[in-house]
Amino acid sequence: YNISALGLQASQVIYNNDVLQAAKAAKYSRLYYKENTTSSQINVVADVSKAFFDVLLSTRQLDILKEDIARLQRSLKDAYSRYQAGVVDKTDYKQATIALNNSLATRKQTEESIKSKFAYLKQIMGVNPNHALVLSYDSAHYESEAVIDTNQMLDVNKRIEYQLLQTQKNLQNINVNYYKWGFLPSLSAVGNYNLFYLHNNFSGLYNNAFPSLYAGLTLGIPIFTGGKRLQNLSKARLEVDRADLDIVNSRNTINTEYVQALASYKSNYTNWQFLKQNVD
């Protein structure tokens, strides 16, 4: 009249499609996140470098403006003296005044822009805004590094963006195989241990236990999924095709960026050489 049972059941997957996919994708998943970390590091270095040189450039421009202002102040003083002496009319010293005022306004703009650029540099460096930041640089060292080999050929395989797309494509190919072999059965090992308590009187129900144990294999065969597997397979193949197009587009984009950067570098380098001659 009284029945009670206490059981423990365990199962372990030996093979199924999910396990196969995880085993194949593990290597590419670890590679993807490693490359993603590398990409983030590259972006941080690039952003900090650009912000650093932006501040440095503005600082040097401010030095030039200060020298211009000193020269314009002397020019204004000379023009006004010539006007007082009656050598020239007031047009010269008025023009000198306008030029000086323009330089003073530009100096103020540059000083304020340096503050905002310093704030941005501190932000991307993770520095406390209240911390004093002083630029340290060696102009001679930068000049020595300015001459580079502009004949070096572009290799897109070294670009981390291209490597990430290749890894994503490998993961999507594994996804295709996952749906492709989705009809394969799954195999699991199962075990079950039970304690049965039987007695006509409830007071004596738990006096004696009748154990039961079995172990075996479970084979699951997918019979019909309503075409879901085939539709997912078609979708996964389209994603691989899209990845191929992204790779081609990335290759073209990288090539364009390289050509534009090299052209800008050569132009700026030539301009820099002529400016050095002008300074001399």
Side-chain angles (χ1 to χ4, degrees), residues 2 23 32 46 129 157 188 194 207 235:
N2 299 283
Y32 175 80
N157 294 307
S188 302
N194 294 301
N207 291 338
K235 179 183 177 182

Side-chain angles (χ1 to χ4, degrees), residues 10-20 185-191 216-218 220:
S11 63
Q12 173 61 50
V13 175
I14 299 176
Y15 169 82
N16 67 13
N17 209 18
D18 293 333
V19 172
L20 182 62
S186 61
L187 181 64
S188 302
V190 295
L217 298 174
T218 299

Side-chain angles (χ1 to χ4, degrees), residues 27-45:
K27 177 180 70 173
Y28 294 110
S29 294
R30 287 192 291 267
L31 178 61
Y32 175 80
Y33 288 110
K34 181 180 178 181
E35 290 174 344
N36 196 49
T37 301
T38 302
S39 178
S40 298
Q41 292 172 341
I42 291 173
N43 290 334
V44 169
V45 172

